[in-house]
């Protein structure tokens, strides 16, 4: 069925950012700070996406080491004396975290941003809102993009829908920060979903098009950490080192008692006769935690409305099932659920850009002449080839090229966040929240440069972009 719609005029902007989530807020702030008249379109009633609505935490600011003692001595402890030497991200993501830490709304490591940063949920929201307002970004909430305004292979704006009906917004440059490459798909940009042919060749995935499972990280209060740590010290077989946070039990307890970020996993018995791993992240409120564990995943398709809906229901039930297990464990007897986010979609579309970043680019830490950001989060996708899953890592980091933000075929469009041009394996490191913010900042500044010069984002001076990012504190 075809329908004709009439869209009212919504105005002309230098830069329009579609999606006010993790990447989109950084993109909008960067574009506006660079002098662009910037509009941010967000489908919900708040900004931040997985940072605020998803309880995913802010990760990862630091280089990675597999050995916990090396990681503590040569990375975490160094954050207190020379943080920039071991950090992989600065700029807007770092500014955001430090503003919250100064207000007591975020937990860091040795006074700075380390592997994980978890936050007071409200502080995380209004700090972003402050930053957007200070930069002069115009934000429209409850507004979803539904059409791309195209002239040949050039995007000239978008049509969105909100309580006013259909509204057309024009722009010199559009940034797709929807997470699912919704705008890019509407504009005709080529993409693949989930596992690609390259992933199959690299040993990441078994079925073409297979996507990562949905998940949810939920928030609880009433956790008695002293009892929990006493229990784990008495039963060390129940402690399981977090593979990305990399803390021993002793380090985790010490960090928690010092009012810093601690990360760990706990082995729990399940009613099916199996065991599962519970991830525990502490919060600024001393009895609060964000949890992720058994029953908190669902195999679904993030581009299918019915699948998302069934996933939302299943994950809500899964939280209740997990909480019934935890009530028998010391420290969780009085824990109660405070918030369960909307379904967390980890993967859908990956656009085809000027360059497709591969898993081998990531694990090899390949540098690029057009690098605009760094990352330090190991690949979080399964299955992985054994040589990748168990590769030695010591002060490991990877680099992110500008070309993966630039679609191959459509002009005046940039893409930021988890839907950039990458294979599924590479996306397993690129989709983390800090790296999404970093690609957003680079996209926002590039869009502002493109709009000011009246040229395509593909034609901007990348060396000038890199220099401006460095001046803003970014780490390339």
């Amino acid at each position: 069925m075809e329908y004709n719609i009439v869209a009212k005029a919504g105005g002309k902007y230098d830069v329009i950012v579609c999606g006010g989530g993790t990447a989109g807020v950084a993109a909008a702030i960067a574009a506006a700070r660079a002098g662009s008249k910037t509009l941010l379109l967000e489908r919900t009633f708040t900004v931040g996406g997985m940072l605020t609505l998803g309880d995913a935490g802010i990760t990862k600011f630091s280089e990675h080491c597999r050995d916990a003692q090396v990681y503590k001595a040569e990375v975490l402890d160094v954050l207190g004396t020379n943080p920039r030497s071991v950090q992989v991200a600065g700029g807007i993501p770092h500014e955001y975290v430090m503003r919250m830490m100064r207000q007591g709304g975020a937990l860091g490591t040795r006074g700075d941003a380390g592997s994980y940063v978890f936050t007071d949920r409200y502080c995380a929201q209004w700090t972003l809102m402050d930053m957007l307002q200070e930069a002069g970004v115009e934000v429209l909430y409850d507004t979803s993009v539904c059409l791309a305004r195209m002239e040949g292979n050039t995007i000239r704006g978008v049509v969105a829908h909100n309580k006013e009906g259909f509204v057309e917004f024009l722009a010199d440059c559009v940034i797709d920060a929807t997470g699912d490459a919704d705008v890019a798909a509407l504009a005709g940009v080529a993409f693949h979903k989930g596992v690609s042919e390259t992933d199959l060749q690299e040993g990441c995935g078994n079925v073409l098009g297979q996507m990562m499972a949905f998940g949810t990280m939920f928030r609880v209060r009433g956790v008695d950490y002293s009892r929990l740590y006493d229990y784990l010290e008495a039963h060390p077989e129940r402690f399981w080192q977090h593979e990305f946070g990399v803390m021993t039990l002793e380090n985790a307890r010490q960090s928690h008692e010092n009012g810093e970020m601690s990360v760990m996993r706990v082995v729990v018995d399940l009613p099916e006769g199996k065991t599962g791993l519970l991830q525990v992240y502490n919060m600024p409120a001393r009895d609060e935690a964000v949890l992720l564990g058994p029953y908190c995943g669902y195999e679904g398709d993030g581009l299918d409305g019915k699948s998302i809906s069934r996933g939302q229901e299943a994950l809500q039930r899964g939280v209740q099932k997990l909480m019934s297990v935890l009530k028998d464990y010391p420290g969780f007897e009085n824990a109660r659920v405070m918030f369960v986010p909307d379904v967390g979609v980890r993967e859908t579309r990956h656009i085809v850009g000027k360059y497709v970043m591969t898993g081998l680019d990531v694990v090899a830490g390949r540098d690029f002449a057009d690098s605009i950001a760094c990352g330090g989060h190991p690949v979080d996708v399964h299955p992985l080839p054994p040589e990748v899953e168990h590769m030695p890592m010591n002060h490991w980091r990877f680099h992110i090229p500008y070309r993966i933000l630039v679609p191959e075929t459509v002009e005046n469009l940039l893409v930021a966040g988890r839907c950039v041009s990458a294979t599924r394996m590479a996306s397993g490191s690129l989709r983390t929240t800090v790296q999404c913010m970093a690609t957003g900042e680079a996209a926002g500044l590039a869009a502002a440069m493109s709009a000011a010069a009246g040229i395509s984002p593909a034609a901007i001076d990348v060396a000038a972009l890199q220099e401006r990012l460095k001046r803003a504190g970014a780490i390339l």
Side-chain angles (χ1 to χ4, degrees), residues 71-396:
Y71 191 53
K72 177 184 183 299
E74 299 184 8
V75 176
L76 299 184
D77 288 347
V78 175
L79 288 168
T81 57
N82 187 16
R84 292 279 292 191
S85 68
V86 293
Q87 287 173 327
V88 297
I92 289 173
H94 186 259
E95 174 191 347
Y96 172 50
V97 166
M98 297 307 290
R99 285 175 69 146
M100 287 188 289
M101 286 178 61
R102 286 193 292 270
Q103 300 165 61
L107 291 181
T109 303
R110 314 300 188 268
D112 215 302
S115 57
Y116 284 79
V117 177
F118 274 76
T119 67
D120 174 273
R121 190 161 170 259
Y122 181 58
C123 181
Q125 291 179 17
W126 58 252
T127 300
L128 284 176
M129 293 174 74
D130 277 351
M131 293 174 71
L132 288 163
Q133 184 181 48
E134 290 164 6
V137 178
E138 181 181 344
V139 184
L140 284 183
Y141 298 102
D142 191 30
T143 301
S144 299
V145 175
C146 51
L147 292 169
R149 166 75 178 270
M150 301 296 297
E151 291 180 5
N153 70 334
T154 301
I155 190 168
R156 298 298 185 190
V158 296
V159 176
H161 186 271
N162 57 24
K163 293 301 182 182
E164 296 182 68
F166 293 99
V167 187
E168 182 182 60
F169 302 98
L170 303 180
D172 295 323
C173 189
V174 175
I175 299 175
D176 184 340
T178 62
D180 299 311
D182 290 335
V183 178
L186 290 169
V189 174
F191 62 86
H192 70 87
K193 289 169 47 177
V195 174
S196 66
E197 293 284 359
T198 303
D199 287 307
L200 293 177
Q201 295 167 10
E202 293 182 344
C204 181
N206 302 314
V207 180
L208 195 66
Q210 182 182 28
M211 291 178 282
M212 293 188 70
F214 300 161
T216 188
M217 301 176 72
F218 63 99
R219 191 171 292 234
V220 299
R221 293 292 299 266
V223 178
D224 187 331
Y225 279 98
S226 293
R227 279 182 54 77
L228 174 59
Y229 280 116
D230 288 345
Y231 168 73
L232 293 174
E233 288 175 352
H235 302 275
E237 74 281 359
R238 291 289 178 175
F239 174 82
W240 197 277
Q241 183 175 290
H242 194 287
E243 61 182 318
F244 305 132
V246 197
M247 283 185 167
T248 64
L249 176 56
E250 179 185 5
N251 292 344
R253 181 164 200 166
Q254 182 180 36
S255 293
H256 179 266
E257 290 175 351
N258 290 342
E260 296 188 338
M261 191 71 224
S262 69
V263 184
M264 63 180 171
R265 294 186 291 186
V266 179
V267 180
V268 295
D269 296 321
L270 306 178
E272 299 87 353
K274 303 183 295 183
T275 60
L277 290 175
L278 174 73
Q279 298 182 31
V280 182
Y281 304 88
N282 66 326
M283 309 296 293
R286 299 292 287 174
D287 70 334
E288 191 172 19
V290 164
L291 306 179
L292 173 65
Y295 316 122
C296 294
Y298 180 84
E299 297 291 340
D301 183 345
L303 300 177
D304 182 298
K306 289 184 178 179
S307 181
I308 294 172
S309 299
R310 299 296 80 78
Q312 176 74 357
E313 294 168 351
L315 292 171
Q316 295 279 338
R317 293 192 188 98
V319 168
Q320 292 301 309
K321 191 172 183 180
L322 178 56
M323 290 302 293
S324 70
V325 171
L326 295 183
K327 64 181 176 58
D328 295 326
Y329 283 84
F332 291 107
E333 300 96 332
N334 298 313
R336 60 194 185 280
V337 177
M338 302 303 294
F339 176 71
V340 181
D342 294 342
V343 57
V345 178
R346 293 185 171 100
E347 179 183 34
T348 52
R349 301 184 185 99
H350 306 281
I351 70 153
V352 176
K354 299 293 184 183
Y355 181 78
V356 179
M357 192 169 183
T358 68
L360 293 180
D361 289 333
V362 170
V363 298
R366 180 182 173 190
D367 204 351
F368 298 90
D370 62 337
S371 175
I372 45 81
C374 287
H377 198 293
V379 179
D380 186 13
V381 173
H382 300 283
L384 282 175
E387 62 271 21
V388 173
E389 189 165 9
H390 304 296
M391 67 175 285
M393 289 181 169
N394 190 38
H395 292 276
W396 173 84

Side-chain angles (χ1 to χ4, degrees), residues 14-19 23-24 27 31 155 158 172-179 181-185 187 189 351 353-354 372 401-408 410-417 419-421 439-451 455-460 462 465:
D14 298 325
V15 176
I16 293 176
V17 181
C18 303
I155 190 168
V158 296
D172 295 323
C173 189
V174 175
I175 299 175
D176 184 340
T178 62
D182 290 335
V183 178
V189 174
I351 70 153
K354 299 293 184 183
I372 45 81
Y402 175 65
R403 287 165 292 163
I404 71 171
L405 314 183
V406 185
E408 175 66 28
V410 174
E411 300 294 330
N412 291 2
L413 178 66
L414 288 165
V415 175
C419 51
V420 294
S421 179
T439 59
E441 180 174 7
L445 183 51
M449 293 172 62
S450 166
I455 58 176
S456 167
I460 68 166
V462 177
L465 170 64

